[in-house]
Amino acid sequence: MNIGKTVEKIKKYYPSVSISRLRFLEAEGLIKPKRSKGGTRSYSEKDIEKIKKIIYLQEEQFYTLKAIKNNPELIKSKKIKTLIIKEYSKHDALKLS
């Protein structure tokens, strides 16, 4: 599947995805779509699932791209680790510091 159709498919789940975002993930070494002889990217279903997992980790679990890149087990893991982010008032934060 070419990059445009891949973006259309993933946009159903993550509207923030774009062609440039997929190119960036490739440049960062997180995904490696196959290339045709002419250089056109071709994404498999496995690539699409990996992209969706990366975006999920970024947008819903608040992992940085650097954290995802340095911890490939996050992408491979079937379990989803949920981060708990506590909210503190300024007063609470000062008391804890």
Side-chain angles (χ1 to χ4, degrees):
M1 184 177 311
N2 71 24
I3 196 166
K5 289 186 183 192
T6 300
V7 167
E8 284 178 23
K9 187 170 186 171
I10 297 172
K11 266 192 190 268
K12 294 174 188 173
Y13 305 97
Y14 298 103
S16 64
V17 76
S18 65
I19 290 173
S20 61
R21 188 170 185 181
L22 295 188
R23 288 179 179 150
F24 181 75
L25 292 176
E26 183 181 0
E28 289 295 311
L30 288 164
I31 57 173
K32 291 185 180 182
K34 291 185 179 180
R35 297 273 189 150
S36 69
K37 291 180 183 180
T40 304
R41 292 169 180 85
S42 178
Y43 294 88
S44 66
E45 285 300 319
K46 189 175 177 181
D47 292 328
I48 292 169
E49 290 305 313
K50 188 173 184 179
I51 294 164
K52 287 182 353 188
K53 180 76 178 238
I54 291 167
I55 296 170
Y56 169 80
L57 289 168
Q58 284 185 297
E59 294 185 2
E60 296 182 33
Q61 294 298 311
F62 307 106
Y63 282 97
T64 63
L65 201 55
K66 185 176 183 179
I68 296 168
K69 190 174 181 179
N70 291 333
N71 298 286
E73 68 274 1
L74 289 172
I75 298 170
K76 294 176 185 173
S77 174
K78 299 238 184 232
K79 289 185 177 180
I80 300 297
K81 294 181 183 178
T82 302
L83 293 179
I84 298 171
I85 300 172
K86 296 181 180 179
E87 290 189 35
Y88 294 102
S89 68
K90 288 180 185 177
H91 179 71
D92 291 335
L94 287 172
K95 278 175 51 177
L96 292 170
S97 63

